[in-house]
Amino acid sequence: MILIHCPYCDEKRAEIEFAYAGEAHISRPVDPSTYGDEEWERYLFIRANPKGRHHERWRHIHGCGRFFNAVRDTVTDKFETTYKAGEPRK
Amino acid sequence: MTRFSAFSLFAKALGGHKDWPEQWPDAAPKPAYDAIIVGGGGHGLGAAYYLAKKYGITNVAVLEKGWIGGGNTGRNTTIIRSNYLYDESAHLYDHAVKLWDGLSQELNYNTMYSKRGVMMLAHNVHDIQSFKRHIHANRLNGVDNEWLTPEEARAYCPPLNISPDARYPVLGAALQRRGGTARHDTVAWGYARAAAALGVDIIQNCGVTGIRRGVDGAVEGVETTRGYISCKRVGVSAAGNSSVIMQMAGLDFPLESYPLQALVSEPVKPTFPCVVMSNTVHAYMSQSDKGELVIGAGTDQYVSYSQRGALHIVEHTLAAICEIFPIYRRMRMLRTWGGIVDVTPDRSPILGKTPVKGLYVNCGWGTGGFKATPGAGDLLAYTMAKDEPHWINAPYNLDRFRNGRLIDEAAAAAVAH
Amino acid sequence: MSGFRLPTGGRVDRSRPVRFSFDGVSYTGFAGDTLASALLANGVMLFGRSFKYHRPRGLLAAGSEEPNALVSVDRGPGRFTPNLRATNVEVHEGLKAVSQNRWPSLKTDFGAINDRLGMFFPAGFYNKTFMWPRSFWDKLYEPAIRKIAGLGDAPTEDDPDQYAATHAHCDLLIIGAGPAGIDAALEAAGTNRRVTVIDEQDEAGGSALADPSLWQWLERSMKALNDAPNVTILTRTTAFGYYHDNFIGAVQRLTDHLPDDGDAPREKLWRIRAGEVILAQGAIERPLVFAGNDTPGVMLSSAAKTFANRYGVAVGKSVALMATHDSGWHDVFALAKAGVGIAAIIDVRDTVDADLLKQAADLRITVKLSHSVIGVSGRYGVKTIEIAHNDGTGIRSIACDALLMAGGWTPSVHLWSHSKGTLKWCDDIGAYVPDQPNENVRCVGACAGACNFGQGAVIDVLPTPMDQSRIKAFVDFQNDVTAKDIKLAVREGFRSIEHIKRYTTNGMATDQGKTSNLNGLQIASTALAKPITDIGLTTFRPPYTPQTFGALAGHAKGALFQATRTTNIDSWAEEHSAVFELVAQWRRARYFPKAGEDMHAAVNRECVAVRSSVGIFDASTLGKIEVVGPDAAEFLNRMYTNPWKALEPGRCRYGLLLKEDGFITDDGVSARLAPDRFHLTTTTGGAARVLNMMEDYLQTEWPDLNVWLTSTTEQYAVIALQGPNARKLLEPLVEGIDLSAEAFPHMAIREGAICGIPTRLFRVSFTGELGFEINVPTAYGRALWERIMAEGDRYDITPYGTETMHVLRAEKGFIIVGQDTDGTVTPYDASLDWAVGKKKLDFVGKRSLARPDIVAAGRKQLVGLLTDDPNVVLEEGAQIVADPNQPIPMKMIGHVTSSYWSATLGRSIAMALVAGGQDKMGETLHIPMPGKTHTAKISGMVFYDPQGARLNV
Ligand SMILES: Cc1cc2nc3c(=O)[nH]c(=O)nc-3n(C[C@H](O)[C@H](O)[C@H](O)COP(=O)(O)OP(=O)(O)OC[C@H]3O[C@@H](n4cnc5c(N)ncnc54)[C@H](O)[C@@H]3O)c2cc1C
Ligand SMILES: [Zn+2]
């Protein structure tokens, strides 16, 4: 069970307090109707799924309730960093 | 190929088993092939076999970065069934189940396909509605699947706890009698041996590191850890690693790779006659020929290629097993392991052509592709040989994520495996 | 035979004899004995049968690496445990153990026929045969294989024992309390770190327990540790898995060693998070591979020393040693000093340390260098051994009753490997040792490969003049894997060690290769003529030793498996003999049968009562979310398909929620209480999902919106009063709310009080009748319910459950998300076009509704379905076809989603998803069921009161 640092609580807590929320920095278009089918498909479904550095979202669901971003290595499962939602991609 | 039989076993025994030949030669890569399969799992090896057997394309190489069958093929809980809801799925999986029947004889390799029956438990009214929907759809599709009362379910599987006082009482079950299990390794080995006998090169320790495309965009060959191999027809069947390989051709895919764990108990004498799955309680179990209880867990929640999983997943799985089968509380867990399952947004596979000419893909089988092994191999071979999908795999194209024609079994029934 | 107990020595308590039985024969041992040592003391050599060949087997080891001596222990009804290692079972008064995998008895086992026919069952034999005739596999071959396989019997009764679980945190976790672990603990004891030391044995000490010269040190050290306030010592506790971020799973055995455990939990799962981990797991001695090495009485030399020094038991009266390593010599010297007769020392090496030779001479022990054991005679116990010079000459026999093997040491790197630390090959000891750590962990002592194991030669198979393809020299004892099996695998083209393992099953037994992996590697390496490091290493996986399902399940059993959520009114329903159903985590009253009523009768009665007078329903499980803030309306407008901004305070609206893929995920009626405050409702099962989804959009897509979301599901009890008499019943109870139709129209909300309790009163209806949903603080739920029941008596008020609720809503064509929709249904498919704000520029899921397949013709659409025979109630889930006469596979065009008997209408009604259904009104469709095909006509979905006259009163 991995340990996750919540940037809002500033604490490392056990994974069972958190809910994984998929790849990070996929932002919803301001006006989706301007997206063609292919762009919309990309937004909805295409995921980087890299072997290595992965930008992902977590929610401290049994804690402060906040969504935040993280960089984690998907081969070692180790976190490089976690940061607040809205902060630029790290 | 030395024919396997009781007779050859007997004859070789008298010679101290000293002259058994290699089941398949350890081939070194040639500079060029007519077709290359990336990934030596059951699906990839099956595709190579059918390319050679059915379509006469024998100048084929299977490139495996490790040892064949070492991916999910050798890590899964081997549940085979075809009682899926949608026509597209029923056709796809039943095509495979029909091939399972007789596969041992076809390959001259005992794949130990055991039609023990797969029973899925209903624990609430919603489950009943959903299972009945499956049963009726299966019946009209010619796929066996029948409804059992709790008492009938218990008669079929005596260890089942059908007490109405259970936290999740059993309200009934759907049983597919043709469902069951097979021996995972032998499927890979059997295909490898049969394919090699037809001229296919099985190349292990040969990881694909790049896909070379020509000026017209079409595939020209693959870079590997053992050098460049030229080939105009490449089929990728790499399960959890599919995203990574499609990236090599510049393709972004709708896939995510998650850890999935399974475990076995110590072996015991026959005690569990069939396969039981409970999606509501999150557990499924069978007993292997060796006597181990084979138990599947759920996926971990995050994307990972580590082939490890967390303890709390195992704890929950065993709690679920003990709820449904309280007599096994004193059994002991012998080994846990993990695989990497590649999951699509609708949890159905992608099997067909890609936007890159000469590049074909078979991926996204997620937690449930072992049962499809012969079928997926056959259909990938067809698609590569004809450069167009077979009608069975035609719906499993990439376009569905754009046009919305998803095949979402899980949404329809919350059924995963 | 008896009298193997040495006259003195050992740590057993000779003043406390205990009686126990094995296979029905009663024996006596001492407190402190294991089943293995106690049986040995009684002269028992035969402990079990091997997996495949059913060969008679004795003890190989003295610890948890034991592959052979597996027994079942029966502690009474429901307390039967198979496959326990006799070396780990502590004897206690009344212990009942039985042997396994034999029939009819351990001594006479018919399964041993496999052994005679062993030449026909090499590795992988089952891949090659049992294929003809095809039909024989299911009926004959497979059942036969299964019966022969397996070890002990599975338990057959529910286990009455309890299992506990806990979390623990420490700065330093030391795994293994042998000399290295104890030293590490002593060092840490002087600091202010929280230290936990765990060891799988009943006593701390590890290898020191078999070395009397260290007992004083051990006692002193353990006293110091026990006195140290910062040190916790857990014995009988096995660290079985090392997970991410220094998370270790361990199981402590609490009662199995006691004759009577009362009600105490049997085992306890420890989930330990450690700052630093020190692994001091020690090393395991390697057996040697030669013909006859599995005969009962052939065992590891360190085991013999342990039996003598720790338990005071001689493993034989005349013991020989086969060594490739110095450590065996020292063990034998210790045995000799303890009074055990030594027949000979045979060592494959041409030279050994002069000091060893001198000590042997001093003890008058015969020594044979450059020799190997090439055969063992005696089926149930060693009688003689045959030895030969390494060049094949000089074959001779030596009489002895036990043969010890000293093949060198394998550091226990299991947990290190679980943690993903890397390994490096060490030629000196012929084993892998820890290299780079992946966590904050280090290895000390033997498991680090660091201690001085002494000199030794690394050898795959002992030299023999015999035809290697004809002898059975075992590598994996339990699974009956021989050296020639491994060679066969290589010959057949299996080159990776993973393949060799899977083909031969080497290392796959219940000891997971603790004594077999390294020998297997050596043999494969020779056969492949490749260095060991080129053929790989199989992966170490948890658990280190097998662990009980029940311990891992812990408290999660029965009611605690998963909490059942109940409403404040649930107890009333239970007292009034409701029949319940489970909906998500909730239990809900399904119907309230009166004496003699079945569900059908009860539901008919409840339905009629609602439509003719008034019914009362517990709707508390509905999800509720309070949405507050200046941008609340804007937020809901973006989330839901329909417009929300213009909704006036005091009014309600049906909200439809899509996922971004355009498919319906939830719905519910929500109310605007104030310009900046909404009371949302969701489906019972969807509450958490919807809140999470809303939080996601709010926090990450639209952080600029000033909105707060709070789950209030548990804060309100909700009582639905439905029926023409609902208003009359309610009026006298309510204060501060004008219930008249003009002042309080359908789809409105008012705040006030009911029976003095503050309430949010909704005028809404899921039944099509005049209806109210009364929200009060949860704690008042039952009291209010009872008060309304009392007041409602004069209207013959009728409590109803979810089943009646379903029928009533279906009569009105209201959908249930998850039943009439299934995650593939859009609002248009569900005939909910009216709930989609056409003029809205955006809402969650809108863009997906414009995708090609979603706008294509022929999608499945929700419609009503009326059977031609009004008495036929279709089965939910039944499939629909246009042409009933087509062959199978049939073209299915839809399925029945909801179907009921409507007592009000005196006929059946149904809803169905049908391809292009909305354009097929009035058409006849067919529902082929086993034995009979029903016909039905497509209709609108509103079967009752289509004008809504009953609502607007
Ligand atoms: C724990 C677990 C339980 C499961 N249980 C079931 C079940 O009960 N029933 C069921 O039907 N399915 C089950 N599955 C799913 C099933 O195992 C898979 O869907 C199926 O085996 C996939 O087969 P494959 O041949 O496509 O993939 P794999 O067997 O994974 O083969 C892919 C191969 O590609 C190789 N590869 C990857 N990258 C490269 C590269 N760059 N170059 C060369 N080679 C590469 C890999 O090494 C691997 O050998 C389970 C999966 C897991 C993990
Ligand atoms: Zn937090």
Side-chain angles (χ1 to χ4, degrees), chain B residues 17 22-23 68 105 110 114 129 132-133 136 140 167-168 185 267 269 289 323 330-331 333 335-336 403 405 411, chain C residues 83 101 119 127 131 142 149 152 161 470 491-492 495 499 502 512 542 547 549-550 558 562 822 853 875-876 890:
Chain B
H17 297 288
E22 286 183 324
Q23 296 198 0
I68 61 166
Q105 288 73 22
N110 193 345
S114 171
Q129 290 165 342
K132 291 267 173 94
R133 184 179 169 197
H136 293 308
L140 300 187
R167 171 64 182 86
Y168 284 100
D185 292 327
K269 293 292 171 201
D289 280 331
E323 271 309 289
R330 290 176 101 86
M331 288 289 294
M333 165 174 96
R335 185 173 173 90
T336 60
N403 62 31
R405 200 175 189 80
Chain C
N83 299 344
N101 199 31
M119 65 191 292
N127 297 337
M131 288 180 271
E142 196 192 21
D161 277 330
R470 301 278 168 192
R491 195 175 305 132
E492 291 198 73
R495 286 177 183 78
H499 274 165
R502 285 156 181 260
Q512 291 284 289
Q547 300 301 331
F549 285 10
Q562 215 168 59
D822 66 3
D853 192 61
E875 193 164 291
E876 285 166 352
M890 288 194 182

Coordinates of all heavy atoms in Angstrom, one line a residue, chain B residues 17 22-23 68 105 110 114 129 132-133 136 140 167-168 185 267 269 289 323 330-331 333 335-336 403 405 411, chain C residues 83 101 119 127 131 142 149 152 161 470 491-492 495 499 502 512 542 547 549-550 558 562 822 853 875-876 890:
Chain B
H17 N 13.9 -41.2 -21.6 CA 13.5 -39.9 -22.0 C 14.7 -39.1 -22.5 O 14.7 -37.8 -22.5 CB 12.8 -39.1 -20.8 CG 11.6 -39.8 -20.4 ND1 10.4 -39.8 -21.1 CD2 11.3 -40.5 -19.2 CE1 9.5 -40.4 -20.4 NE2 10.0 -40.9 -19.3
E22 N 13.5 -30.8 -28.9 CA 13.1 -29.5 -28.4 C 11.6 -29.3 -28.9 O 11.3 -29.7 -30.0 CB 13.9 -28.4 -29.1 CG 15.3 -28.2 -28.5 CD 16.0 -27.1 -29.1 OE1 15.8 -26.8 -30.3 OE2 16.7 -26.4 -28.4
Q23 N 10.8 -28.8 -28.0 CA 9.4 -28.6 -28.4 C 9.3 -27.5 -29.4 O 8.4 -27.5 -30.3 CB 8.6 -28.2 -27.2 CG 8.6 -29.4 -26.2 CD 7.5 -29.3 -25.2 OE1 6.7 -28.4 -25.2 NE2 7.4 -30.3 -24.3
I68 N 8.3 -16.8 -23.6 CA 6.9 -16.9 -24.1 C 6.0 -17.3 -22.9 O 6.3 -18.1 -22.1 CB 6.8 -17.8 -25.3 CG1 7.2 -19.3 -24.9 CG2 7.6 -17.3 -26.5 CD1 6.7 -20.3 -26.0
Q105 N -6.2 -31.6 -29.2 CA -6.0 -32.5 -30.3 C -5.4 -31.7 -31.5 O -4.5 -32.2 -32.2 CB -7.3 -33.1 -30.8 CG -7.8 -34.2 -29.8 CD -8.4 -33.6 -28.5 OE1 -8.8 -32.4 -28.5 NE2 -8.4 -34.4 -27.4
N110 N -1.7 -31.2 -24.6 CA -2.9 -31.2 -23.7 C -3.0 -29.8 -23.0 O -2.2 -29.5 -22.1 CB -2.8 -32.3 -22.7 CG -4.1 -32.5 -22.0 OD1 -5.0 -31.7 -22.0 ND2 -4.2 -33.7 -21.3
S114 N -10.9 -27.7 -19.1 CA -11.8 -28.5 -18.2 C -13.1 -27.8 -18.1 O -13.2 -26.7 -17.6 CB -11.1 -28.5 -16.8 OG -11.9 -29.0 -15.8
Q129 N -31.9 -9.4 -12.3 CA -32.3 -8.8 -13.6 C -31.2 -8.9 -14.6 O -31.5 -9.2 -15.8 CB -32.7 -7.3 -13.4 CG -34.0 -7.2 -12.5 CD -34.1 -5.7 -12.0 OE1 -33.2 -5.0 -12.0 NE2 -35.4 -5.4 -11.6
K132 N -30.6 -12.5 -15.8 CA -31.7 -13.0 -16.6 C -31.5 -12.4 -18.0 O -31.7 -13.1 -19.0 CB -33.0 -12.6 -16.0 CG -33.3 -13.4 -14.7 CD -34.1 -14.6 -15.0 CE -34.3 -15.5 -13.7 NZ -35.5 -15.2 -13.0
R133 N -31.1 -11.2 -18.1 CA -31.0 -10.6 -19.4 C -29.9 -11.3 -20.2 O -30.0 -11.6 -21.3 CB -30.6 -9.1 -19.2 CG -30.5 -8.3 -20.4 CD -30.1 -6.8 -20.1 NE -29.7 -6.1 -21.3 CZ -29.1 -5.0 -21.4 NH1 -28.8 -4.4 -20.2 NH2 -28.8 -4.4 -22.5
H136 N -31.2 -14.8 -21.3 CA -32.1 -14.8 -22.4 C -31.4 -14.5 -23.7 O -31.6 -15.1 -24.8 CB -33.3 -13.9 -22.2 CG -34.2 -14.3 -21.0 ND1 -34.7 -15.6 -21.0 CD2 -34.6 -13.7 -19.9 CE1 -35.4 -15.8 -19.9 NE2 -35.4 -14.6 -19.2
L140 N -30.8 -17.0 -27.1 CA -31.2 -16.7 -28.5 C -30.0 -16.6 -29.4 O -30.1 -16.6 -30.6 CB -32.0 -15.4 -28.5 CG -33.4 -15.5 -27.7 CD1 -34.2 -14.2 -28.0 CD2 -34.2 -16.7 -28.1
R167 N -24.2 -11.9 4.7 CA -24.2 -10.5 4.5 C -24.7 -10.2 3.0 O -25.4 -9.3 2.8 CB -22.8 -9.9 4.7 CG -22.6 -8.4 4.2 CD -23.4 -7.5 5.0 NE -23.3 -6.1 4.6 CZ -24.0 -5.6 3.6 NH1 -24.9 -6.3 3.0 NH2 -23.9 -4.3 3.3
Y168 N -24.2 -11.0 2.1 CA -24.7 -10.9 0.7 C -25.3 -12.3 0.4 O -24.6 -13.1 -0.2 CB -23.6 -10.5 -0.2 CG -23.2 -9.1 -0.2 CD1 -22.1 -8.6 0.5 CD2 -24.0 -8.1 -0.8 CE1 -21.8 -7.3 0.6 CE2 -23.7 -6.8 -0.7 CZ -22.6 -6.4 0.0 OH -22.3 -5.0 0.0
D185 N 0.0 -22.2 -19.1 CA 1.3 -22.3 -19.8 C 1.2 -23.2 -21.0 O 1.8 -22.9 -22.0 CB 2.3 -23.0 -18.8 CG 2.7 -22.1 -17.7 OD1 2.7 -20.9 -17.9 OD2 2.9 -22.6 -16.6
P267 N -2.2 -26.8 -2.2 CA -3.0 -27.8 -2.8 C -3.7 -28.7 -1.8 O -3.2 -29.0 -0.8 CB -2.0 -28.6 -3.7 CG -0.7 -28.2 -3.2 CD -0.7 -27.0 -2.4
K269 N -6.9 -32.0 -1.7 CA -7.7 -32.9 -2.5 C -8.9 -32.3 -3.1 O -9.4 -31.2 -2.6 CB -8.1 -34.1 -1.6 CG -6.9 -35.0 -1.1 CD -6.3 -35.7 -2.3 CE -5.0 -36.4 -1.8 NZ -4.1 -36.7 -3.0
D289 N -6.0 -28.3 -11.4 CA -5.7 -29.8 -11.5 C -4.8 -30.2 -10.4 O -4.8 -31.3 -9.9 CB -5.1 -30.2 -12.8 CG -6.2 -30.3 -13.9 OD1 -7.4 -30.6 -13.6 OD2 -5.9 -30.0 -15.1
E323 N -16.5 -15.2 2.9 CA -17.9 -15.0 3.1 C -18.8 -16.0 2.3 O -19.8 -16.5 2.7 CB -18.3 -13.6 2.6 CG -18.2 -12.5 3.6 CD -18.9 -12.8 4.9 OE1 -20.1 -12.8 4.9 OE2 -18.2 -13.2 5.9
R330 N -9.8 -21.7 7.0 CA -8.5 -22.3 7.5 C -7.6 -22.7 6.4 O -6.4 -23.1 6.6 CB -8.7 -23.5 8.4 CG -9.4 -23.1 9.7 CD -9.7 -24.3 10.5 NE -8.7 -24.6 11.6 CZ -8.8 -24.0 12.8 NH1 -9.7 -23.2 13.1 NH2 -7.9 -24.3 13.7
M331 N -8.0 -22.5 5.1 CA -7.1 -22.8 4.0 C -6.0 -21.7 4.1 O -6.2 -20.7 4.6 CB -7.8 -22.8 2.7 CG -8.7 -23.9 2.5 SD -7.8 -25.5 2.1 CE -7.0 -25.1 0.6
M333 N -3.1 -19.3 2.0 CA -2.6 -18.7 0.8 C -1.1 -19.1 0.6 O -0.3 -18.9 1.4 CB -2.8 -17.2 0.9 CG -2.1 -16.4 -0.1 SD -2.5 -14.6 0.2 CE -1.2 -14.1 1.2
R335 N 0.7 -18.4 -2.6 CA 1.4 -17.5 -3.5 C 0.5 -16.4 -4.0 O -0.6 -16.7 -4.4 CB 2.1 -18.3 -4.6 CG 3.0 -17.4 -5.5 CD 3.7 -18.4 -6.5 NE 4.5 -17.7 -7.5 CZ 5.8 -17.3 -7.3 NH1 6.4 -17.6 -6.2 NH2 6.4 -16.7 -8.2
T336 N 1.0 -15.2 -4.1 CA 0.2 -14.1 -4.8 C 1.1 -13.6 -5.9 O 2.3 -13.7 -5.8 CB -0.1 -12.9 -3.8 OG1 1.2 -12.4 -3.3 CG2 -0.9 -13.4 -2.6
N403 N -16.8 7.4 -32.7 CA -18.2 7.5 -33.1 C -19.2 7.1 -32.0 O -20.4 7.3 -32.1 CB -18.5 6.7 -34.4 CG -18.2 5.2 -34.2 OD1 -18.4 4.7 -33.2 ND2 -17.8 4.6 -35.3
R405 N -19.7 4.0 -30.8 CA -20.3 2.7 -30.9 C -19.6 1.7 -29.9 O -19.1 0.7 -30.3 CB -20.2 2.2 -32.3 CG -21.2 1.1 -32.6 CD -21.2 0.7 -34.1 NE -22.4 -0.2 -34.3 CZ -23.6 0.3 -34.4 NH1 -23.9 1.5 -34.4 NH2 -24.6 -0.6 -34.6
A411 N -20.6 -1.8 -18.3 CA -21.6 -0.8 -18.0 C -23.0 -1.5 -17.9 O -23.8 -1.3 -17.1 CB -21.6 0.3 -19.0
Chain C
N83 N -2.0 -29.6 5.6 CA -0.7 -29.1 5.1 C 0.2 -28.4 6.1 O 1.0 -27.5 5.6 CB -1.0 -28.2 3.8 CG -1.7 -29.0 2.7 OD1 -1.8 -30.2 2.8 ND2 -2.2 -28.3 1.8
N101 N -2.3 -37.4 2.0 CA -1.9 -37.8 0.7 C -1.6 -39.3 0.6 O -0.6 -39.7 0.0 CB -0.8 -36.9 0.1 CG -0.7 -37.1 -1.4 OD1 -1.7 -37.3 -2.1 ND2 0.5 -36.9 -2.0
M119 N 8.8 -43.7 -14.4 CA 9.4 -43.4 -15.7 C 8.4 -42.9 -16.7 O 8.8 -42.3 -17.7 CB 10.2 -44.7 -16.2 CG 9.2 -45.8 -16.5 SD 10.1 -47.4 -16.8 CE 11.0 -47.0 -18.3
N127 N 1.1 -32.9 -20.5 CA 1.0 -32.2 -21.7 C 0.9 -33.1 -22.9 O 0.4 -32.7 -24.0 CB 2.2 -31.2 -21.9 CG 2.3 -30.2 -20.8 OD1 1.3 -29.9 -20.2 ND2 3.5 -29.7 -20.6
M131 N -5.0 -37.2 -24.3 CA -5.8 -36.5 -25.3 C -6.7 -37.4 -26.1 O -7.6 -36.9 -26.8 CB -4.8 -35.8 -26.2 CG -4.2 -34.6 -25.5 SD -3.0 -33.7 -26.6 CE -1.5 -34.6 -26.4
E142 N -9.1 -36.4 -16.3 CA -8.9 -35.3 -15.4 C -9.3 -35.6 -13.9 O -8.6 -35.3 -13.0 CB -9.7 -34.1 -15.9 CG -9.2 -32.8 -15.2 CD -10.0 -31.6 -15.4 OE1 -11.2 -31.7 -15.7 OE2 -9.4 -30.5 -15.2
A149 N -3.5 -35.8 -7.3 CA -2.8 -34.6 -6.9 C -3.4 -34.1 -5.6 O -4.2 -34.7 -4.9 CB -3.0 -33.5 -8.0
G152 N -3.3 -32.4 1.5 CA -4.3 -32.8 2.5 C -5.7 -32.6 2.0 O -5.9 -32.2 0.9
D161 N -13.4 -20.3 14.6 CA -12.4 -19.4 15.2 C -12.6 -17.9 14.7 O -13.1 -17.7 13.6 CB -11.0 -19.9 14.9 CG -10.6 -21.0 15.8 OD1 -11.1 -21.0 17.0 OD2 -9.8 -21.9 15.4
R470 N 18.5 -42.8 -15.1 CA 17.7 -43.9 -14.5 C 17.5 -43.7 -13.0 O 16.8 -44.4 -12.4 CB 18.5 -45.2 -14.7 CG 18.7 -45.6 -16.1 CD 17.5 -46.2 -16.8 NE 17.6 -46.3 -18.2 CZ 16.6 -46.6 -19.0 NH1 15.4 -46.8 -18.6 NH2 16.9 -46.7 -20.3
R491 N 16.3 -30.2 -22.3 CA 16.4 -30.9 -23.6 C 15.2 -30.5 -24.5 O 15.3 -30.4 -25.7 CB 16.4 -32.4 -23.3 CG 16.8 -33.3 -24.5 CD 16.9 -34.8 -24.0 NE 17.7 -35.0 -22.8 CZ 17.4 -35.6 -21.7 NH1 16.2 -36.2 -21.6 NH2 18.2 -35.7 -20.7
E492 N 14.1 -30.3 -23.9 CA 12.9 -30.0 -24.7 C 12.8 -28.6 -25.0 O 11.8 -28.1 -25.5 CB 11.6 -30.5 -24.0 CG 11.6 -32.0 -23.9 CD 10.2 -32.5 -23.6 OE1 9.3 -32.5 -24.5 OE2 9.9 -33.0 -22.5
R495 N 14.4 -22.9 -21.7 CA 15.7 -22.4 -21.3 C 15.6 -21.4 -20.2 O 16.6 -21.2 -19.5 CB 16.3 -21.7 -22.6 CG 16.8 -22.7 -23.6 CD 17.3 -22.0 -24.8 NE 17.7 -23.1 -25.7 CZ 16.8 -23.8 -26.4 NH1 15.5 -23.5 -26.4 NH2 17.2 -24.8 -27.2
H499 N 10.5 -21.0 -17.3 CA 10.0 -22.1 -18.0 C 10.3 -23.4 -17.4 O 9.4 -24.3 -17.3 CB 10.5 -22.1 -19.5 CG 9.8 -21.2 -20.4 ND1 10.3 -20.8 -21.6 CD2 8.6 -20.6 -20.3 CE1 9.4 -20.1 -22.2 NE2 8.3 -19.9 -21.4
R502 N 8.1 -23.9 -14.4 CA 6.7 -24.2 -14.8 C 6.6 -25.6 -15.4 O 5.6 -26.3 -15.2 CB 6.1 -23.2 -15.7 CG 5.8 -21.9 -14.9 CD 5.8 -20.7 -15.8 NE 5.6 -19.5 -15.1 CZ 4.4 -18.9 -15.0 NH1 3.4 -19.4 -15.7 NH2 4.2 -17.8 -14.3
Q512 N 7.6 -23.3 -1.6 CA 8.0 -22.3 -2.6 C 9.5 -22.3 -2.9 O 10.1 -21.2 -3.1 CB 7.5 -20.9 -2.2 CG 6.0 -20.8 -2.2 CD 5.5 -20.6 -3.6 OE1 5.7 -19.6 -4.3 NE2 4.9 -21.7 -4.2
P542 N 5.1 -12.8 -2.2 CA 4.5 -13.1 -0.9 C 3.5 -14.3 -1.1 O 3.0 -14.4 -2.2 CB 3.7 -11.8 -0.6 CG 4.3 -10.8 -1.5 CD 4.8 -11.5 -2.7
Q547 N -0.2 -18.5 4.5 CA -0.9 -17.8 5.6 C -2.4 -18.1 5.4 O -2.9 -18.2 4.3 CB -0.6 -16.3 5.5 CG 0.9 -16.0 5.7 CD 1.4 -16.4 7.0 OE1 0.7 -16.6 8.0 NE2 2.7 -16.7 7.0
F549 N -6.3 -17.9 5.2 CA -7.3 -17.0 4.6 C -7.9 -16.2 5.7 O -8.1 -15.0 5.6 CB -8.4 -17.8 3.9 CG -8.0 -18.5 2.6 CD1 -6.7 -18.5 2.1 CD2 -9.0 -19.0 1.8 CE1 -6.3 -19.1 0.9 CE2 -8.7 -19.6 0.6 CZ -7.3 -19.6 0.1
G550 N -8.3 -16.9 6.8 CA -9.1 -16.2 7.8 C -8.3 -15.1 8.4 O -8.9 -14.0 8.8
G558 N -19.0 -11.8 8.1 CA -20.4 -11.7 8.4 C -20.8 -10.2 8.3 O -20.5 -9.5 7.3
Q562 N -19.0 -6.1 5.4 CA -19.2 -4.8 4.9 C -20.4 -4.2 5.6 O -21.4 -4.9 5.8 CB -19.6 -4.8 3.4 CG -19.0 -3.7 2.6 CD -19.2 -3.9 1.1 OE1 -20.3 -4.2 0.6 NE2 -18.0 -3.9 0.4
D822 N -28.7 1.5 -18.6 CA -27.6 0.6 -18.2 C -26.2 1.1 -18.5 O -25.3 0.3 -18.7 CB -27.8 -0.8 -18.8 CG -27.7 -0.8 -20.4 OD1 -27.4 0.3 -20.9 OD2 -27.9 -1.8 -21.0
D853 N -22.5 7.9 -33.8 CA -23.3 6.7 -33.5 C -24.5 7.1 -32.6 O -25.5 6.4 -32.5 CB -22.5 5.6 -32.8 CG -23.3 4.3 -32.7 OD1 -23.6 3.8 -33.8 OD2 -23.5 3.9 -31.6
E875 N -40.7 -11.5 -18.2 CA -39.6 -11.6 -17.3 C -38.7 -10.4 -17.5 O -38.3 -10.1 -18.7 CB -38.8 -12.9 -17.4 CG -37.9 -13.1 -16.3 CD -37.4 -14.6 -16.3 OE1 -38.2 -15.5 -16.0 OE2 -36.2 -14.9 -16.6
E876 N -38.2 -9.7 -16.5 CA -37.3 -8.6 -16.7 C -36.0 -9.2 -17.3 O -35.5 -10.2 -16.8 CB -37.0 -7.9 -15.4 CG -38.2 -7.0 -15.0 CD -38.2 -6.5 -13.6 OE1 -37.3 -6.9 -12.8 OE2 -39.0 -5.6 -13.3
M890 N -30.5 -15.6 -33.1 CA -31.6 -14.7 -33.5 C -31.1 -13.3 -33.5 O -30.2 -12.9 -32.7 CB -32.8 -14.8 -32.6 CG -33.6 -16.1 -32.8 SD -35.1 -15.9 -31.9 CE -35.8 -17.6 -32.2

